[in-house]
Amino acid sequence: MILEMKNIQKQFDGLEVLKDISFGVDSGEVVSIIGPSGSGKSTLLRCATFLETIDGGEITYMGKKAAHTNERGEAVYVHARELRQFRSYYGLVFQQFNLFPHYSILRNVIDAPIRVQKRSREDAVSTAMGLLAKMGIADKADAYPFQLSGGQQQRVAIARALAMRPEILFFDEPTSALDPELTGEVLKVIRQLADEKMTMVVVTHEMAFAKAVSNRVIFMDGGVIVEQGDPRDVFENPQEERTKRFLSVFER
C-alpha cells in the first residue's frame, strides 16, 4: 500500500473538519473523492501532503510512518530530514496551477528535480521535454505561464509533478479554475495517466469523470467518509441517504 491514513482528525479554531477519517491507496489505484464544498476533501489532501498538520491519527507512506499519535494523544511527525524523504513519494497538482510566473515553462518543470533531487540538468531537461511532449505542449517550453491558456498551464503543472517521479499523484480539484473546453483537455491527460496505472487521488466535482476513471470513489460530507466503493455501485446504487441526495443533482 502506497498511502494509509488512519483515524485522521483535524480542527480549525475548535471546528472539527476531519473526524476520524481512515482510508488507503494501493499501487496503480485511482481514488476519486467527491462531496459538497466544505466537506473536508481538500483538507484531507492537505493533511496527506503535510501542508496541514493533523491533530490525531496516523499517516503512512510505503509502509513507513510519517506521523502518529503519541501516548498523550498528540500528533507527532518524523524529523524534518525524514519528512523530505516522505515528500519525495508524492506530487500535488493544485486548482490554481501555482507555476512560477517569472520562470519559463521548461524551468518550471526542471527546477525541483535539479534543486531538490540533485539530478543533472541534462537528465532533468530530457525528462521535462518528454513529459511536455506527452502533455502536448513541448512547443511551449520557452514560453512563460502568462502566455498559456489555463488548460495548458494545468498540463504544465502535471508535468512538473511527474518530473519528480512520484509514487502517487494528488489532484485538488484540478479543473475547477477552467472552462468546460479546457476541463476536457486536463481530464484527458489524467485519464491517460490512469490507463498507465499511475497511482492517483483526485478531489473532483466531475462526476462522469470520477465514475469512468476511478477504481474507487469516496463520498465525504461533514468531515467523515459517508460512503465508498466501486464507482458504479456508488453512483448507480448509493446506500446512504446523504449520498443519494448529493448525487440526485447530477445525471448518472
Side-chain angles (χ1 to χ4, degrees):
M1 186 171 287
I2 289 181
L3 168 67
E4 189 169 13
M5 301 183 78
K6 288 184 181 178
N7 310 117
I8 301 299
Q9 299 167 45
K10 178 64 182 177
Q11 294 186 3
F12 291 112
D13 299 321
L15 176 68
E16 277 190 295
V17 179
L18 299 177
K19 307 171 186 177
D20 200 28
I21 295 262
S22 297
F23 81 106
V25 185
D26 286 320
S27 178
E29 190 176 22
V30 179
V31 178
S32 288
I33 303 178
I34 63 172
S37 297
S39 58
K41 307 183 303 294
S42 292
T43 300
L44 183 61
L45 246 60
R46 291 178 65 83
C47 288
T49 53
F50 313 128
L51 294 174
E52 298 285 356
T53 55
I54 59 174
D55 295 319
E58 187 176 293
I59 302 175
T60 303
Y61 277 96
M62 311 297 288
K64 295 179 282 190
K65 285 183 188 176
H68 70 280
T69 306
N70 65 16
E71 61 277 2
R72 295 191 298 275
E74 303 163 333
V76 179
Y77 283 77
V78 296
H79 189 275
R81 189 176 302 161
E82 290 180 85
L83 210 54
R84 279 199 293 274
Q85 176 63 46
F86 280 100
R87 287 194 173 101
S88 74
Y89 294 139
Y90 62 79
L92 176 58
V93 179
F94 300 89
Q95 305 178 32
Q96 299 294 342
F97 326 135
N98 286 20
L99 301 176
F100 294 113
H102 55 296
Y103 284 4
S104 70
I105 296 311
L106 179 61
R107 189 175 173 191
N108 263 283
V109 179
I110 68 173
D111 184 61
I114 292 173
R115 191 167 45 82
V116 178
Q117 296 182 332
K118 311 301 181 188
R119 282 155 57 186
S120 71
R121 180 179 174 83
E122 182 182 24
D123 174 44
V125 169
S126 175
T127 299
M129 291 306 298
L131 288 168
L132 291 175
K134 183 175 182 176
M135 300 294 149
I137 46 175
D139 60 326
K140 304 294 184 183
D142 295 327
Y144 286 81
F146 77 91
Q147 297 173 301
L148 273 59
S149 71
Q152 290 170 329
Q153 289 187 60
Q154 192 62 294
R155 282 182 276 160
V156 174
I158 295 171
R160 180 178 61 180
L162 288 169
M164 298 294 281
R165 298 171 179 163
E167 299 289 340
I168 182 172
L169 265 186
F170 294 99
F171 292 87
D172 186 7
E173 298 186 13
T175 60
S176 66
L178 304 176
D179 65 36
E181 185 177 3
L182 300 182
T183 290
E185 291 179 13
V186 173
L187 294 181
K188 181 179 177 182
V189 169
I190 300 174
R191 190 184 295 259
Q192 180 184 349
L193 293 174
D195 290 342
E196 295 168 2
K197 302 301 180 187
M198 181 73 206
T199 309
M200 294 184 283
V201 177
V202 186
V203 169
T204 184
H205 290 298
E206 300 290 337
M207 297 300 135
F209 168 81
K211 182 179 179 181
V213 176
S214 310
N215 303 108
R216 181 158 44 103
V217 170
I218 293 174
F219 171 63
M220 286 183 65
D221 190 30
V224 301
I225 293 176
V226 176
E227 187 165 351
Q228 64 176 310
D230 179 273
R232 181 165 294 181
D233 293 337
V234 173
F235 283 103
E236 296 181 5
N237 189 29
Q239 299 301 300
E240 301 295 329
E241 279 303 318
R242 182 64 188 96
T243 317
K244 292 176 184 176
R245 288 202 309 275
F246 177 75
L247 292 175
S248 67
V249 300
F250 300 98
E251 289 186 18
R252 296 183 199 168

